[in-house]
Each structure stands twice: as C-alpha cells, then as structure tokens.
Amino acid sequence: MALEEFTLTVLGAGVMGTAVSSAILNSLVKPYPKKVILCTPQPTDTLKETFAKFDNVEYSFTAEGNKKAVKEADIILLAVKPFMYQQVYDEVKDALTGDQLLISLLAGTTINELSIFTKNVAKVMTNTPARYGCGTAAIAFSPDVSQEQQELVKKLIEPVGLTVCIPEKNMDIATSLIGSGPAFCLLMMESMIDGAVRMGMPYDVARVSAAKVMEGTAKMLLETGDHPAALKSKVCTPGGTTIGGLLKMEDGALRSTIARGIEEAANISASFAKK
C-alpha cells in the first residue's frame, strides 16, 4: 500500500463514522486519502452537505456497492453498531483481501473477533467531539500491525484531538471514560445550567457560561498537570461559596456516583464481548 495514495472505505457513515471521516478530511492530514467511500443504508442530505466540499468523497447505499467499496479499500473504517459486525463481514467477506488495514470504532468487540476481516486491526475508541477536532481517542493494535501501519493510523486519528495508545485490556475503560464521557459531562453541565437558571440567570447566558467553565477548567488541568483535588482546593476560601457548594454536592454522593457511573459503563462494555 502506497502511503501517498490510499482509498479509505467507511462501513457505517453514522455519527462516529462521519465524525472521524470529517476530522481526517478537514485536517488535510498527510498522507491524505485519494478517495473516501462512505457506505450507509440511507442516503441523507445532511451527510452529503457535510462532505459537499470534498471532491474525493463517494457514496455507497447498496450491498453490491459496499462490496465494491471494500474491494477498492486499502483501509477500512468500521463504524457500524457493535452487534452488526458479523453481518457486515458476511456481506463483504468476498471482497476482503486479507492484507487491508481495519480501523474499528466498535465498542465491546475484541481484536480477535475483528480479525475475521484482516489480521491488521487497529481498535479505536473515540467520542463525538472528534467531529470538531477536540475529541479523544484511545488506540490498541493487533500484533500483526506493522510499525508503518501504526504510524499511519495515528496520523489518521490524531485530527480528532488527543490520541493515546493503550493495551487492549484497557479498552472497556476507554469506552466508558472516553466514549461515554461526553454524556456524563453534559449531564453535569445541564445540572449547572439548571441551578443558574433556578436562581434567575437567563438560559442562554447560563449555557455558554457553564460550557466555558468546563472548557477552561479542563485546559487548566492539562496545562498545570496538577491533581484535580489540588486545583479544587485553590478555589475554596474559608467560609466561602465554593466550599459550601461542594459540601452540598458531597451530601448527594456526587463524586462516588460519577465514579460508579464510569465503572458501570466499563462493565457493560466488557459484557458485550461475552455475548
């Protein structure tokens, strides 16, 4: 496979498949795909609008079209629902060469299960902010993926935002923390907005303020490298508003509830592979 000219076939151009494809194409990453084929059951105007400015994007909406797209592919981005991977394999198996590189975005499926497509498997867990270039992605590789292929995967995934390489045994945790994490943050953000609105702040002001507080706090944590508890203590003045609010939240076991939520989501992800 010539790194300068490869075809990327996306099996499942849904939310995550679209998010990662958009991040790759908008970044002008090098090497850049000569062609991207988006496979999806239903052609939508939204999908075509998202990729309208890219001349190297094609679409497939039929089973036969998908087989042709897979046969052309140097790299396959698998982004269907986890329970569908066997069905998708059965539909395209005759078009697989065995040497293609598979990048899987599926939760709860193992590298061993995905190796029916090819021995070259990169398992990636990312999240919806990837579409805006501010996502997070964890990557685990099968033993057969060469160093050159690993570097290519990293280059393709880096446009989503932060990337980290982890052993496959940590992927269920990544599914929870990274994949489900935005929903957990949005729940906390929604609660902060509700509190502000309850006390009289206009919703639009509360919404952007809460979002900016989350963004700024995250950047502060990354920039300083300090433990969250250390940064939190710097905000608490004796007898002040912050410590009062924190204690009220602790009354509701907020910290352990969030931690248990991460644990539960990771356990559910692990259970998928056992079915």
Side-chain angles (χ1 to χ4, degrees):
M1 177 176 66
L3 296 184
E4 292 75 22
E5 46 180 52
F6 65 90
T7 295
L8 173 66
T9 292
V10 182
L11 293 176
V15 174
M16 289 313 308
T18 299
V20 173
S21 302
S22 295
I24 292 171
L25 289 166
N26 282 310
S27 71
L28 298 178
V29 63
K30 292 183 179 180
Y32 196 72
K34 68 175 181 181
K35 185 192 295 185
V36 175
I37 308 173
L38 302 174
C39 304
T40 181
Q42 296 291 336
T44 65
D45 291 338
T46 302
L47 183 66
K48 291 183 177 180
E49 286 171 8
T50 300
F51 296 96
K53 65 180 180 180
F54 300 107
D55 296 331
N56 60 337
V57 173
E58 298 179 2
Y59 303 91
S60 171
F61 306 121
T62 66
E64 283 304 313
N66 293 351
K67 285 182 185 178
K68 182 176 181 295
V70 168
K71 192 170 185 178
E72 288 186 46
D74 299 298
I75 301 174
I76 300 168
L77 181 66
L78 186 62
V80 297
K81 299 294 184 185
F83 66 86
M84 293 177 63
Y85 83 91
Q86 182 69 52
Q87 175 187 335
V88 170
Y89 168 74
D90 290 337
E91 291 175 354
V92 304
K93 62 183 179 182
D94 293 339
L96 295 167
T97 68
D99 294 320
Q100 292 152 315
L101 176 61
L102 179 75
I103 301 176
S104 169
L105 304 182
L106 276 57
T109 53
T110 65
I111 286 175
N112 184 57
E113 289 172 324
L114 295 168
S115 64
I116 57 176
F117 288 86
T118 172
K119 65 183 183 298
N120 305 310
V121 178
K123 186 170 167 54
V124 176
M125 175 47 57
T126 187
N127 52 22
T128 48
R131 181 171 183 176
Y132 307 99
C134 54
T136 310
I139 310 172
F141 296 102
S142 66
D144 292 292
V145 178
S146 68
Q147 191 62 43
E148 183 182 30
Q149 289 174 321
Q150 288 186 31
E151 292 304 317
L152 177 57
V153 172
K154 290 175 188 176
K155 286 181 179 180
L156 291 175
I157 300 301
E158 278 173 357
V160 310
L162 172 71
T163 60
V164 293
C165 290
I166 62 173
E168 187 186 9
K169 66 180 182 179
N170 290 151
M171 265 297 174
D172 292 317
I173 305 168
T175 299
S176 173
L177 182 61
I178 295 173
S180 302
F184 303 151
C185 289
L186 288 164
L187 179 61
M188 286 182 272
M189 208 182 308
E190 183 183 15
S191 301
M192 293 166 67
I193 294 167
D194 286 346
V197 171
R198 167 67 181 85
M199 297 308 296
M201 181 177 282
Y203 170 78
D204 287 343
V205 176
R207 181 181 65 85
V208 296
S209 298
K212 198 64 180 177
V213 166
M214 280 273 194
E215 179 189 43
T217 305
K219 185 172 183 179
M220 179 171 64
L221 180 71
L222 292 172
E223 291 287 336
T224 64
D226 291 344
H227 192 284
L231 294 172
K232 182 183 69 174
S233 67
K234 294 177 181 178
V235 189
C236 297
T237 54
T241 59
T242 306
I243 190 63
L246 285 169
L247 287 174
K248 179 62 72 172
M249 293 176 188
E250 291 285 8
D251 288 344
L254 179 65
R255 181 165 31 172
S256 63
T257 299
I258 293 170
R260 292 300 188 191
I262 297 288
E263 180 184 31
E264 178 68 9
N267 286 337
I268 292 172
S269 176
S271 74
F272 292 155
K274 297 175 183 177
K275 293 182 179 179

